[in-house]
Amino acid sequence: MTTNFSIRHFGIVVQNIDESLFFYENLLGFKVFKKMEECGPEISTFLGIKNVKVTTIKMRNQLNQMIELLYYQEQAHKNDVFINQLGPTHLALSVSNLDDLYQNFKKQNIEFISSPIITDNKFAKVAFCKAPEGTFIELVEEL
């Protein structure tokens, strides 16, 4: 039996929904297409969290790629995030004019690991920034 897979979305648990919406919508260009307040036995069962209440916000970019912001009514577990930890570590986005984007993000007090750097193979210019909840965002401009 063969099953085909495609990536549906990337889920991001956020601590401050307003900061995160501003970042993903106004800085990265994702647009909200569905917002729900979810609770009840079904979601509690498949998440494995008793009496869970979560706001989910599904967003798409101009290429129809989707992310989902999740804001739990109960405080989410805060972990330090490291770029070299096991498991998923970042969301990579293709961008145009990374230098201008970098300057704009810096004006918005977005934290970066470094300024944009051209890769050794001269294929791309890359910079990593952090979203408000701590997710690393890799911004890649192909040269």
mmCIF file of all heavy atoms in Angstrom, residues 23 27-28 83 89-91 93 101-102 105-106 110-114 126-132 134-139:
data_model
loop_
_atom_site.group_PDB
_atom_site.id
_atom_site.type_symbol
_atom_site.label_atom_id
_atom_site.label_comp_id
_atom_site.label_asym_id
_atom_site.label_seq_id
_atom_site.Cartn_x
_atom_site.Cartn_y
_atom_site.Cartn_z
ATOM 1 N N PHE A 23 3.242 39.995 13.428
ATOM 2 C CA PHE A 23 4.449 39.479 12.792
ATOM 3 C C PHE A 23 4.124 38.684 11.533
ATOM 4 O O PHE A 23 4.645 38.968 10.457
ATOM 5 C CB PHE A 23 5.230 38.609 13.780
ATOM 6 C CG PHE A 23 6.487 38.022 13.209
ATOM 7 C CD1 PHE A 23 7.640 38.770 13.118
ATOM 8 C CD2 PHE A 23 6.523 36.713 12.764
ATOM 9 C CE1 PHE A 23 8.812 38.239 12.584
ATOM 10 C CE2 PHE A 23 7.679 36.164 12.231
ATOM 11 C CZ PHE A 23 8.827 36.935 12.140
ATOM 12 N N LEU A 27 4.321 41.512 8.678
ATOM 13 C CA LEU A 27 5.725 41.433 8.275
ATOM 14 C C LEU A 27 5.992 40.312 7.272
ATOM 15 O O LEU A 27 6.818 40.464 6.381
ATOM 16 C CB LEU A 27 6.627 41.281 9.494
ATOM 17 C CG LEU A 27 6.575 42.443 10.496
ATOM 18 C CD1 LEU A 27 7.521 42.193 11.659
ATOM 19 C CD2 LEU A 27 6.877 43.766 9.822
ATOM 20 N N LEU A 28 5.312 39.174 7.418
ATOM 21 C CA LEU A 28 5.559 38.046 6.522
ATOM 22 C C LEU A 28 4.504 37.872 5.438
ATOM 23 O O LEU A 28 4.682 37.079 4.523
ATOM 24 C CB LEU A 28 5.699 36.747 7.319
ATOM 25 C CG LEU A 28 6.909 36.676 8.256
ATOM 26 C CD1 LEU A 28 6.956 35.333 8.957
ATOM 27 C CD2 LEU A 28 8.203 36.933 7.503
ATOM 28 N N ILE A 83 18.584 26.684 17.844
ATOM 29 C CA ILE A 83 18.604 26.374 16.414
ATOM 30 C C ILE A 83 19.130 24.969 16.153
ATOM 31 O O ILE A 83 18.809 24.356 15.155
ATOM 32 C CB ILE A 83 19.395 27.442 15.614
ATOM 33 C CG1 ILE A 83 19.102 27.342 14.119
ATOM 34 C CG2 ILE A 83 20.878 27.382 15.905
ATOM 35 C CD1 ILE A 83 17.732 27.722 13.717
ATOM 36 N N THR A 89 13.238 22.800 13.817
ATOM 37 C CA THR A 89 13.918 23.937 14.433
ATOM 38 C C THR A 89 13.551 25.281 13.826
ATOM 39 O O THR A 89 13.788 26.308 14.450
ATOM 40 C CB THR A 89 15.451 23.782 14.327
ATOM 41 O OG1 THR A 89 15.807 23.716 12.952
ATOM 42 C CG2 THR A 89 15.933 22.551 15.070
ATOM 43 N N HIS A 90 13.011 25.289 12.608
ATOM 44 C CA HIS A 90 12.731 26.575 11.992
ATOM 45 C C HIS A 90 11.762 26.428 10.824
ATOM 46 O O HIS A 90 11.537 25.334 10.335
ATOM 47 C CB HIS A 90 14.019 27.247 11.521
ATOM 48 C CG HIS A 90 14.730 26.515 10.428
ATOM 49 N ND1 HIS A 90 15.535 25.423 10.653
ATOM 50 C CD2 HIS A 90 14.756 26.721 9.093
ATOM 51 C CE1 HIS A 90 16.038 24.997 9.513
ATOM 52 N NE2 HIS A 90 15.572 25.760 8.542
ATOM 53 N N LEU A 91 11.230 27.555 10.412
ATOM 54 C CA LEU A 91 10.384 27.673 9.234
ATOM 55 C C LEU A 91 11.171 28.506 8.224
ATOM 56 O O LEU A 91 11.602 29.616 8.552
ATOM 57 C CB LEU A 91 9.073 28.372 9.606
ATOM 58 C CG LEU A 91 8.105 28.768 8.505
ATOM 59 C CD1 LEU A 91 7.603 27.539 7.766
ATOM 60 C CD2 LEU A 91 6.940 29.548 9.078
ATOM 61 N N LEU A 93 11.500 30.558 4.676
ATOM 62 C CA LEU A 93 10.681 31.285 3.711
ATOM 63 C C LEU A 93 11.566 31.876 2.626
ATOM 64 O O LEU A 93 12.613 32.469 2.919
ATOM 65 C CB LEU A 93 9.917 32.416 4.402
ATOM 66 C CG LEU A 93 8.970 32.011 5.532
ATOM 67 C CD1 LEU A 93 8.409 33.250 6.214
ATOM 68 C CD2 LEU A 93 7.850 31.140 5.003
ATOM 69 N N LEU A 101 14.316 43.802 3.678
ATOM 70 C CA LEU A 101 13.488 43.113 4.663
ATOM 71 C C LEU A 101 14.163 43.125 6.030
ATOM 72 O O LEU A 101 13.529 43.405 7.047
ATOM 73 C CB LEU A 101 13.219 41.679 4.202
ATOM 74 C CG LEU A 101 12.157 40.893 4.942
ATOM 75 C CD1 LEU A 101 10.789 41.537 4.799
ATOM 76 C CD2 LEU A 101 12.117 39.467 4.419
ATOM 77 N N TYR A 102 15.446 42.843 6.045
ATOM 78 C CA TYR A 102 16.228 42.854 7.286
ATOM 79 C C TYR A 102 16.138 44.233 7.964
ATOM 80 O O TYR A 102 15.869 44.327 9.160
ATOM 81 C CB TYR A 102 17.678 42.484 6.984
ATOM 82 C CG TYR A 102 18.616 42.617 8.149
ATOM 83 C CD1 TYR A 102 18.655 41.654 9.152
ATOM 84 C CD2 TYR A 102 19.479 43.707 8.244
ATOM 85 C CE1 TYR A 102 19.527 41.775 10.233
ATOM 86 C CE2 TYR A 102 20.352 43.837 9.309
ATOM 87 C CZ TYR A 102 20.367 42.866 10.297
ATOM 88 O OH TYR A 102 21.230 43.000 11.368
ATOM 89 N N PHE A 105 12.607 44.752 9.371
ATOM 90 C CA PHE A 105 12.377 43.941 10.567
ATOM 91 C C PHE A 105 13.132 44.508 11.765
ATOM 92 O O PHE A 105 12.633 44.501 12.883
ATOM 93 C CB PHE A 105 12.791 42.492 10.321
ATOM 94 C CG PHE A 105 11.777 41.666 9.569
ATOM 95 C CD1 PHE A 105 10.860 42.228 8.707
ATOM 96 C CD2 PHE A 105 11.764 40.295 9.721
ATOM 97 C CE1 PHE A 105 9.943 41.465 8.018
ATOM 98 C CE2 PHE A 105 10.842 39.510 9.042
ATOM 99 C CZ PHE A 105 9.926 40.098 8.183
ATOM 100 N N LYS A 106 14.355 44.986 11.543
ATOM 101 C CA LYS A 106 15.137 45.569 12.640
ATOM 102 C C LYS A 106 14.418 46.792 13.214
ATOM 103 O O LYS A 106 14.419 47.001 14.422
ATOM 104 C CB LYS A 106 16.543 45.939 12.170
ATOM 105 C CG LYS A 106 17.452 44.768 11.844
ATOM 106 C CD LYS A 106 17.752 43.907 13.051
ATOM 107 C CE LYS A 106 18.830 44.539 13.913
ATOM 108 N NZ LYS A 106 19.232 43.678 15.031
ATOM 109 N N ILE A 110 12.665 43.152 15.588
ATOM 110 C CA ILE A 110 12.722 41.709 15.408
ATOM 111 C C ILE A 110 14.170 41.270 15.621
ATOM 112 O O ILE A 110 15.097 41.848 15.064
ATOM 113 C CB ILE A 110 12.233 41.305 13.991
ATOM 114 C CG1 ILE A 110 10.800 41.793 13.746
ATOM 115 C CG2 ILE A 110 12.362 39.796 13.777
ATOM 116 C CD1 ILE A 110 9.762 41.279 14.709
ATOM 117 N N GLU A 111 14.353 40.237 16.445
ATOM 118 C CA GLU A 111 15.683 39.743 16.786
ATOM 119 C C GLU A 111 16.238 38.850 15.674
ATOM 120 O O GLU A 111 15.539 37.975 15.166
ATOM 121 C CB GLU A 111 15.591 38.933 18.082
ATOM 122 C CG GLU A 111 16.890 38.353 18.558
ATOM 123 C CD GLU A 111 16.710 37.481 19.787
ATOM 124 O OE1 GLU A 111 15.666 37.553 20.467
ATOM 125 O OE2 GLU A 111 17.633 36.697 20.069
ATOM 126 N N PHE A 112 17.491 39.054 15.310
ATOM 127 C CA PHE A 112 18.193 38.247 14.316
ATOM 128 C C PHE A 112 19.404 37.571 14.934
ATOM 129 O O PHE A 112 20.015 38.117 15.852
ATOM 130 C CB PHE A 112 18.670 39.112 13.134
ATOM 131 C CG PHE A 112 17.606 39.412 12.119
ATOM 132 C CD1 PHE A 112 16.693 40.422 12.327
ATOM 133 C CD2 PHE A 112 17.527 38.672 10.942
ATOM 134 C CE1 PHE A 112 15.713 40.703 11.389
ATOM 135 C CE2 PHE A 112 16.542 38.941 10.006
ATOM 136 C CZ PHE A 112 15.641 39.955 10.229
ATOM 137 N N ILE A 113 19.765 36.404 14.410
ATOM 138 C CA ILE A 113 21.009 35.757 14.812
ATOM 139 C C ILE A 113 22.178 36.542 14.229
ATOM 140 O O ILE A 113 23.176 36.787 14.900
ATOM 141 C CB ILE A 113 21.057 34.284 14.344
ATOM 142 C CG1 ILE A 113 20.008 33.456 15.101
ATOM 143 C CG2 ILE A 113 22.445 33.697 14.550
ATOM 144 C CD1 ILE A 113 19.919 32.014 14.640
ATOM 145 N N SER A 114 22.070 36.944 12.951
ATOM 146 C CA SER A 114 23.100 37.749 12.298
ATOM 147 C C SER A 114 22.452 38.547 11.182
ATOM 148 O O SER A 114 21.304 38.301 10.817
ATOM 149 C CB SER A 114 24.207 36.857 11.730
ATOM 150 O OG SER A 114 23.763 36.212 10.554
ATOM 151 N N VAL A 126 21.159 34.568 3.265
ATOM 152 C CA VAL A 126 20.349 33.973 4.333
ATOM 153 C C VAL A 126 20.477 34.769 5.622
ATOM 154 O O VAL A 126 21.553 35.277 5.958
ATOM 155 C CB VAL A 126 20.807 32.513 4.603
ATOM 156 C CG1 VAL A 126 20.026 31.890 5.729
ATOM 157 C CG2 VAL A 126 20.699 31.677 3.335
ATOM 158 N N ALA A 127 19.375 34.851 6.362
ATOM 159 C CA ALA A 127 19.373 35.399 7.722
ATOM 160 C C ALA A 127 18.284 34.693 8.515
ATOM 161 O O ALA A 127 17.225 34.362 7.976
ATOM 162 C CB ALA A 127 19.129 36.900 7.706
ATOM 163 N N PHE A 128 18.556 34.440 9.783
ATOM 164 C CA PHE A 128 17.577 33.855 10.700
ATOM 165 C C PHE A 128 17.092 34.925 11.665
ATOM 166 O O PHE A 128 17.902 35.625 12.276
ATOM 167 C CB PHE A 128 18.198 32.726 11.527
ATOM 168 C CG PHE A 128 18.287 31.411 10.820
ATOM 169 C CD1 PHE A 128 19.360 31.117 10.005
ATOM 170 C CD2 PHE A 128 17.299 30.450 10.994
ATOM 171 C CE1 PHE A 128 19.466 29.892 9.362
ATOM 172 C CE2 PHE A 128 17.390 29.220 10.357
ATOM 173 C CZ PHE A 128 18.471 28.942 9.542
ATOM 174 N N CYS A 129 15.776 35.031 11.812
ATOM 175 C CA CYS A 129 15.207 35.904 12.829
ATOM 176 C C CYS A 129 14.317 35.069 13.735
ATOM 177 O O CYS A 129 14.108 33.881 13.497
ATOM 178 C CB CYS A 129 14.415 37.049 12.202
ATOM 179 S SG CYS A 129 12.892 36.597 11.354
ATOM 180 N N LYS A 130 13.823 35.700 14.799
ATOM 181 C CA LYS A 130 12.928 35.018 15.728
ATOM 182 C C LYS A 130 11.565 35.687 15.706
ATOM 183 O O LYS A 130 11.456 36.909 15.806
ATOM 184 C CB LYS A 130 13.481 35.088 17.151
ATOM 185 C CG LYS A 130 14.392 33.978 17.526
ATOM 186 C CD LYS A 130 14.667 34.030 19.020
ATOM 187 C CE LYS A 130 15.257 32.729 19.486
ATOM 188 N NZ LYS A 130 15.479 32.749 20.933
ATOM 189 N N ALA A 131 10.528 34.872 15.572
ATOM 190 C CA ALA A 131 9.156 35.352 15.693
ATOM 191 C C ALA A 131 8.892 35.662 17.175
ATOM 192 O O ALA A 131 9.662 35.247 18.043
ATOM 193 C CB ALA A 131 8.191 34.289 15.183
ATOM 194 N N PRO A 132 7.811 36.376 17.488
ATOM 195 C CA PRO A 132 7.559 36.748 18.880
ATOM 196 C C PRO A 132 7.534 35.579 19.860
ATOM 197 O O PRO A 132 7.952 35.718 21.009
ATOM 198 C CB PRO A 132 6.192 37.440 18.824
ATOM 199 C CG PRO A 132 6.113 37.991 17.443
ATOM 200 C CD PRO A 132 6.836 36.970 16.586
ATOM 201 N N GLY A 134 9.290 32.875 19.587
ATOM 202 C CA GLY A 134 10.590 32.227 19.626
ATOM 203 C C GLY A 134 10.899 31.311 18.459
ATOM 204 O O GLY A 134 12.007 30.789 18.360
ATOM 205 N N THR A 135 9.946 31.094 17.563
ATOM 206 C CA THR A 135 10.196 30.265 16.392
ATOM 207 C C THR A 135 11.266 30.909 15.517
ATOM 208 O O THR A 135 11.173 32.101 15.207
ATOM 209 C CB THR A 135 8.914 30.072 15.566
ATOM 210 O OG1 THR A 135 7.912 29.472 16.377
ATOM 211 C CG2 THR A 135 9.154 29.214 14.337
ATOM 212 N N PHE A 136 12.271 30.137 15.136
ATOM 213 C CA PHE A 136 13.265 30.662 14.203
ATOM 214 C C PHE A 136 12.665 30.683 12.803
ATOM 215 O O PHE A 136 12.060 29.705 12.356
ATOM 216 C CB PHE A 136 14.529 29.784 14.191
ATOM 217 C CG PHE A 136 15.404 30.000 15.386
ATOM 218 C CD1 PHE A 136 15.407 29.085 16.419
ATOM 219 C CD2 PHE A 136 16.234 31.116 15.473
ATOM 220 C CE1 PHE A 136 16.208 29.270 17.528
ATOM 221 C CE2 PHE A 136 17.039 31.312 16.589
ATOM 222 C CZ PHE A 136 17.036 30.387 17.620
ATOM 223 N N ILE A 137 12.836 31.801 12.110
ATOM 224 C CA ILE A 137 12.374 31.974 10.747
ATOM 225 C C ILE A 137 13.616 32.188 9.883
ATOM 226 O O ILE A 137 14.359 33.154 10.092
ATOM 227 C CB ILE A 137 11.418 33.181 10.590
ATOM 228 C CG1 ILE A 137 10.267 33.129 11.604
ATOM 229 C CG2 ILE A 137 10.925 33.296 9.150
ATOM 230 C CD1 ILE A 137 9.274 32.015 11.383
ATOM 231 N N GLU A 138 13.851 31.284 8.926
ATOM 232 C CA GLU A 138 14.971 31.421 8.006
ATOM 233 C C GLU A 138 14.470 32.166 6.770
ATOM 234 O O GLU A 138 13.534 31.725 6.109
ATOM 235 C CB GLU A 138 15.523 30.054 7.596
ATOM 236 C CG GLU A 138 16.682 30.136 6.643
ATOM 237 C CD GLU A 138 17.197 28.772 6.206
ATOM 238 O OE1 GLU A 138 16.529 27.742 6.488
ATOM 239 O OE2 GLU A 138 18.255 28.740 5.556
ATOM 240 N N LEU A 139 15.080 33.295 6.480
ATOM 241 C CA LEU A 139 14.731 34.094 5.313
ATOM 242 C C LEU A 139 15.803 33.877 4.258
ATOM 243 O O LEU A 139 16.988 34.103 4.525
ATOM 244 C CB LEU A 139 14.648 35.569 5.709
ATOM 245 C CG LEU A 139 13.672 35.872 6.862
ATOM 246 C CD1 LEU A 139 13.852 37.297 7.359
ATOM 247 C CD2 LEU A 139 12.241 35.603 6.429
#
